[in-house]
Amino acid sequence: ALLSSDVDSKRSLCERLPAENPRHKFYYSLTLGQQNISGIKDQLYVVGLASHISKDRIDNIARIRENLENRFLLDNLTVDFSGESEFAAGRVLSANYLVPMLLLYEHYGKTGDTEKMKRWEPLITRLAEEKGKTTLVKNFLGREKTEATPFVAAGLDAGYIEGHLRIIKGNIYAYDMEVTNAEYNKFLNFLLENQRNSIYETSKFDLSQYTEPAYTYMRTYHANTVVTKKNKYFTQYPAVNIPFDGAQAYCDWLTEQYNNLAGRKFKKVKFRLPTVNEWQIAALGYKKFQSWNIRENNVELAIPENSEDELCKGCPVKTFSFEESGILYPWYGAYNYRHKALNKRGCALGNFKFPETHPVCRPQMPTPDGWTLMAPVGAYFPNNIGLYDVVGNVAEMTAEKGKACGGSWNHTPEESTILSINEYKGPDSAIGFRPFMEVIEK
């Protein structure tokens, strides 16, 4: 009956359930498809809670963070717009938010994010007062304040971090390269040394999907090794096999560290994973973009006389709408190379997946791009704002769990464009991440 498309059957089921189970409460919700809410997605309020059934492990904290921090408006929990009585359905249901908010508050305490703890405490307290849970919640808040992790310096350098940032627009910046094994291992070592064990467990490299010989290779790839002049190991290769939570925790840690560094350029920032729109605009690399929706932009492109010219200084410039331009790739200023994956010598301009029969551009190279798997970060040309490897090498996580952008060494060039959104289910050898930075206070 639940799967039936018969409206009468569904109505009958909804009527029978409470009638046959008088001791239980039933709540019904209206579910809208993505196509129905796309136009109002920035105007949605939290109005209730829903359960979710999944065969895979659900990351509850990540869901709560995404919903309460980014997806939904919370004004209805702080202001009574309708003059409803305290027994009205909306106000009764708002009590349900105490539990997820306390879980979120606890998460902030464990990660040492005292600013977010301060931001959420008034709302939690207000809801607790309305629902008669004041004593219980006050005890919880007091315990979490006491147990909040104090700041510990990790020895990062503000100049090094700022030197890798490239401005996208306004207060939004992006790291110029993907996070490397060396950088991610520094983060993991910090967690272990400072006994942030719960964060470490949800952030460590996940090699559970591998069997031999791939397992040994990946252990070697991610090994926390000391670099020497003779051997650099894989330290400057992109960090992969990372849980989504790990990428977010890294950004939180980098935020905490930077905001406490002496001599920093910005007073307060927030590192985070980008939205899909932010990532695509950054990959486009066009400083004069007009809209965060890449498809709504006009772009200026240099038109070379010779279609094989890769550089085009002094060439005439023409304005195209993004849709008519056919732009797929980030390299060169010449229009004719914005939709090509190979240069005029047949060498790949990024690290992609090619058939074994595809010709190589040089005899000594094993593949058209020179690599069989991942390449070191920054191995290819940057785009026009200085971002390396925005397509190919490893696909990059976005703030939307399960969606990475730009394709990878394990995707074909056609699957590795600035418009490509590659879905993933968990840690993967083809998925890494690039932190974006939002300046909160200059």
Side-chain angles (χ1 to χ4, degrees):
L2 285 172
L3 299 177
S4 171
S5 59
D6 185 348
V7 174
D8 291 335
S9 298
K10 293 179 180 178
R11 182 181 294 113
S12 175
L13 178 65
C14 292
E15 291 172 351
R16 288 202 328 267
L17 280 173
E20 296 174 4
N21 300 273
R23 300 183 65 181
H24 297 278
K25 292 183 179 180
F26 289 85
Y27 299 94
Y28 300 100
S29 65
L30 174 65
T31 302
L32 298 176
Q34 188 66 35
Q35 68 275 16
N36 300 111
I37 66 170
S38 59
I40 58 170
K41 63 182 179 181
D42 296 328
Q43 304 171 44
L44 299 177
Y45 288 85
V46 286
V47 293
L49 292 177
S51 60
H52 179 73
I53 298 174
S54 172
K55 293 181 180 179
D56 301 319
R57 181 179 178 274
I58 297 173
D59 186 341
N60 198 37
I61 293 297
R63 290 284 182 90
I64 294 171
R65 283 187 59 183
E66 176 63 19
N67 288 338
L68 297 188
E69 288 182 356
N70 301 319
R71 291 187 62 199
F72 296 111
L73 302 172
L74 303 177
D75 300 356
N76 59 317
L77 301 182
T78 59
V79 180
D80 181 9
F81 295 108
S82 60
E84 293 179 322
S85 74
E86 63 179 299
F87 303 108
R91 300 190 68 178
V92 170
L93 286 173
S94 69
N96 293 331
Y97 289 98
L98 269 177
V99 173
M101 285 179 178
L102 289 173
L103 288 172
L104 198 55
Y105 190 88
E106 181 181 45
H107 169 75
Y108 295 145
K110 289 179 179 178
T111 56
D113 197 335
T114 55
E115 289 298 320
K116 285 186 178 177
M117 292 176 76
K118 292 176 184 177
R119 188 187 314 163
W120 282 84
E121 187 172 323
L123 179 54
I124 293 173
T125 302
R126 176 193 172 101
L127 287 177
E129 290 173 351
E130 288 184 359
K131 310 309 170 187
K133 305 290 184 182
T134 303
T135 301
L136 177 66
V137 170
K138 276 187 176 180
N139 290 339
F140 182 90
L141 297 181
R143 173 173 65 83
E144 288 306 311
K145 281 181 181 177
T146 302
E147 295 181 1
T149 308
F151 172 73
V152 180
L156 302 185
D157 177 73
Y160 174 85
I161 295 172
E162 291 161 1
H164 280 283
L165 294 172
R166 302 292 181 266
I167 189 167
I168 309 303
K169 191 171 189 176
N171 66 334
I172 305 297
Y173 292 72
Y175 222 69
D176 66 340
M177 299 181 188
E178 297 143 345
V179 170
T180 65
N181 281 317
E183 291 166 329
Y184 201 77
N185 271 316
K186 190 176 185 71
F187 160 64
L188 293 179
N189 291 341
F190 176 89
L191 297 179
L192 286 176
E193 291 168 2
N194 292 281
Q195 298 181 335
R196 298 190 184 183
N197 298 324
S198 61
I199 305 174
Y200 175 82
E201 289 301 319
T202 57
S203 302
K204 64 184 180 181
F205 295 113
D206 185 348
L207 306 183
S208 60
Q209 69 270 39
Y210 296 107
T211 56
E212 295 293 357
Y215 177 74
T216 296
Y217 169 76
M218 282 300 174
R219 281 191 62 186
T220 303
Y221 180 84
H222 292 303
N224 183 28
T225 49
V226 178
V227 175
T228 65
K229 290 183 178 180
K230 185 177 180 180
N231 201 334
K232 306 296 183 184
Y233 303 99
F234 291 102
T235 54
Q236 294 307 307
Y237 283 63
V240 294
N241 297 313
I242 295 170
F244 178 75
D245 269 8
Q248 288 193 316
Y250 180 92
C251 292
D252 290 343
W253 170 76
L254 194 57
T255 298
E256 174 194 32
Q257 290 297 316
Y258 181 87
N259 287 337
N260 285 279
L261 288 175
R264 63 187 183 277
K265 179 178 178 180
F266 304 106
K267 187 173 182 180
K268 184 178 180 182
V269 305
K270 176 183 174 61
F271 287 93
R272 57 176 173 78
L273 296 177
T275 65
V276 170
N277 281 357
E278 288 171 338
W279 188 95
Q280 289 181 339
I281 285 294
L284 175 64
Y286 181 58
K287 295 179 182 179
K288 297 191 286 186
F289 73 92
Q290 307 93 55
S291 168
W292 285 101
N293 183 336
I294 193 170
R295 297 183 184 277
E296 295 176 353
N297 285 280
N298 292 323
V299 292
E300 295 175 347
L301 297 169
I303 313 297
E305 291 183 10
N306 185 339
S307 63
E308 290 192 346
D309 287 347
E310 296 161 356
L311 302 177
C312 199
K313 293 183 178 180
C315 293
V317 173
K318 183 179 178 181
T319 299
F320 298 83
S321 71
F322 178 82
E323 294 287 16
E324 71 175 329
S325 71
I327 291 176
L328 296 175
Y329 300 106
W331 34 69
Y332 297 143
Y335 172 55
N336 51 305
Y337 276 95
R338 298 308 295 268
H339 47 83
K340 291 181 182 179
L342 303 173
N343 66 15
K344 61 186 178 183
R345 293 173 295 280
C347 295
L349 294 166
N351 185 11
F352 306 120
K353 179 180 181 180
F354 291 95
E356 291 184 4
T357 55
H358 195 286
V360 297
C361 66
R362 294 174 186 165
Q364 67 272 28
M365 293 174 62
T367 61
D369 52 34
W371 309 91
T372 53
L373 298 174
M374 293 75 75
V377 298
Y380 298 90
F381 294 112
N383 69 4
N384 286 341
I385 60 173
L387 302 186
Y388 294 86
D389 303 316
V390 287
V391 296
N393 209 23
V394 295
E396 298 174 7
M397 295 183 199
T398 67
E400 191 170 346
K401 188 175 183 180
K403 290 187 177 181
C405 288
S408 73
W409 63 269
N410 201 30
H411 292 91
T412 65
E414 294 75 22
E415 299 170 311
S416 304
T417 73
I418 60 178
L419 293 175
S420 297
I421 299 176
N422 313 106
E423 295 189 357
Y424 66 97
K425 293 183 178 179
D428 192 297
S429 62
I431 307 291
F433 71 102
R434 176 194 310 266
F436 276 49
M437 187 190 79
E438 184 176 350
V439 177
I440 307 299
E441 188 177 351
K442 289 186 177 181

